[in-house]
Amino acid sequence: MIEKFYKRMLDGVPSGLIVTDKNLKVVYTNAAFKNLFPDAAARGSLGKIIGCKRDFRQCGSSDCAKHCSLLHAFEDALYSDRENMQRVTLAIKGDDGAKELSFALTVKPLGEGLCMGVIDDALETEIASELRSARSIQQKLLPAGKWVAGKRYSYMYIPCREIGGDLPEIFAVGDSACGVIADVSGKGISAGMLTAFVKAAYDKTAYSPAQAIASLSTRFRELNLDEKNYVTVAAARIDKDTITYSMAGHNVPILLKSDGGITRIMLNSPPVSNWFDNPRWFEDVIPYKKGDILALLTDGVTECKNERGEMFGVEGAIRTLSYARTGEEFIKDLETNLKNFCHNLNDDITAIAFDL
């Protein structure tokens, strides 16, 4: 009865708890610890309990033990019979391959060879793990192929945090290739949730880009978010020899390379938001020729700043595009030029390029 009471009490502790015996075999873990390592075993070696990406059957005797901060923390407490605290970094198995966890660990000797480890920032560690999982999911939602409706495309997506607030979408409507690029307000988790909404709410069956944006606006307004939340969108449908496009507050022009020149396509329209009672979106049509490159960018590209505070600007994107022979070459050169221009990106960077 008393044993069950203590177990319930320890399971209610928000910090992760792990107890080892004199052979450094794990004899107890509480609920918070199991939440951090849900796929690990309940008993066994330290490597087995955490789901070490290495061969945990050799835990404590293999070469990796020399560099295992978790093992060293328990060894130090056991042999010195003193409490110690250290920062532990682990490489463990996850659903999408190996992932890294880092947390503060305090190990206390309990007597009779038992040692208890306390993960003091278990919640923060769990959040970090969830963010990495969310990033993995977000990456899997990105366009998968290189061709759509007979058009070859390339894209770049570089989030400045674990979770990005940009959304590149590429799909077909009938025989037409469609490209949509969206940029939501904010950064981090809230931005990631809003991009997931945009991906689900954008009507990929609509033939008209303007109508698709209008439908997105209707769904967005149903969320009843405050005025700090908004979405900018640039959408294009590529037909046999024309491009039909619409924009929603997207202040970065679509760029079209034609016969060695650049056409900046501008169309003023409001972002998707709750700012206006009856917003309207329009679309326009422009011709293209075989060999042209159509590029869609977010403002993370043009507003990227270097150490002197200078912006990469539309001019930087145009200059990069003017030298490119294909959309793939443009995307690769753009990424290289941006990273050379700004070593620490402070906004999400997204671009799509179609070979027409």
Side-chain angles (χ1 to χ4, degrees), residues 16-179:
L17 303 179
I18 175 173
V19 179
T20 61
D21 63 16
K22 61 182 180 181
N23 296 314
L24 297 184
K25 299 298 183 181
V26 177
V27 296
Y28 173 77
T29 56
N30 73 341
F33 185 91
K34 292 170 185 173
N35 286 335
L36 288 174
F37 304 96
D39 299 323
R43 297 286 187 276
S45 67
L46 286 167
K48 186 176 182 180
I49 294 302
I50 65 169
C52 180
K53 74 170 187 177
R54 298 181 182 273
D55 186 2
F56 56 76
R57 289 169 295 185
Q58 303 296 322
C59 182
S61 59
S62 60
D63 289 340
C64 65
K66 300 175 183 177
H67 310 288
C68 180
S69 52
L70 178 65
L71 182 66
H72 293 168
F74 278 91
E75 281 182 338
D76 290 348
L78 177 65
Y79 296 127
S80 68
D81 199 31
R82 290 201 305 264
E83 176 182 315
N84 74 75
M85 178 170 40
Q86 28 182 307
R87 192 75 192 175
V88 173
T89 300
L90 304 172
I92 66 173
K93 297 175 182 177
D95 295 336
D96 54 338
K99 61 181 180 179
E100 189 175 274
L101 282 182
S102 180
F103 51 83
L105 176 70
T106 302
V107 183
K108 303 177 180 181
L110 301 178
E112 298 182 5
L114 296 176
C115 290
M116 180 177 69
V118 182
I119 299 177
D120 295 320
D121 52 0
L123 179 59
E124 288 78 4
T125 303
E126 185 175 2
I127 290 173
S129 177
E130 290 298 323
L131 282 173
R132 281 188 288 271
S133 296
R135 179 186 177 97
S136 175
I137 293 171
Q138 195 173 59
Q139 291 286 334
K140 291 175 181 177
L141 295 177
L142 295 174
K146 293 186 176 181
W147 291 86
V148 61
K151 300 296 181 186
R152 185 177 177 85
Y153 69 87
S154 299
Y155 73 93
M156 170 178 60
Y157 173 75
I158 306 175
C160 69
R161 297 185 182 179
E162 290 284 352
I163 308 297
D166 286 356
L167 176 69
E169 280 281 70
I170 299 162
F171 53 93
V173 175
D175 296 328
S176 302
C178 297

Side-chain angles (χ1 to χ4, degrees), residues 243-268:
I243 298 170
T244 302
Y245 69 96
S246 184
M247 303 178 76
H250 210 77
N251 61 351
V252 180
I254 301 172
L255 307 175
L256 176 68
K257 180 180 181 181
S258 179
D259 298 328
I262 298 292
T263 301
R264 295 178 59 177
I265 306 168
M266 305 297 291
L267 189 63
N268 294 325

